[in-house]
Amino acid sequence: MSTFQDQLSSSMRDARNPYQRDGKLNSTTLAAQAGVEHAAEFQMWVSQQATSLAKLKIFSTMAKGINDQQ
């Protein structure tokens, strides 16, 4: 007796991927995937830059405070 999950899995396996032709991804799909990877890398770089900037602002504020005390 097959379960609903088994039936769903088999129907999904039988469904054709519209982005594939003869089992291979087309060039537009590959370019889109590459774009997603580059976007993720860029987002990570931006996050690192924002963290560095925040650290520099804290350091600057601390240095200004110490400088004002003298």
Side-chain angles (χ1 to χ4, degrees):
M1 179 175 194
S2 66
T3 64
F4 174 75
Q5 188 66 32
D6 293 337
Q7 292 172 352
L8 182 63
S9 296
S10 67
S11 68
M12 293 301 280
R13 262 188 309 235
D14 295 338
R16 293 195 51 139
N17 185 342
Y19 302 107
Q20 289 185 350
R21 179 177 289 171
D22 300 327
K24 296 181 181 177
L25 295 173
N26 66 29
S27 62
T28 305
T29 304
L30 293 174
Q33 287 175 343
V36 167
E37 290 174 11
H38 289 298
E41 289 175 17
F42 179 72
Q43 192 171 22
M44 181 67 76
W45 178 83
V46 168
S47 176
Q48 290 171 344
Q49 298 302 311
T51 301
S52 297
L53 181 60
K55 288 178 181 178
L56 284 172
K57 285 183 178 182
I58 292 169
F59 177 77
S60 174
T61 303
M62 290 172 57
K64 185 178 184 314
I66 292 170
N67 207 16
D68 289 346
Q69 290 174 1
Q70 294 176 352

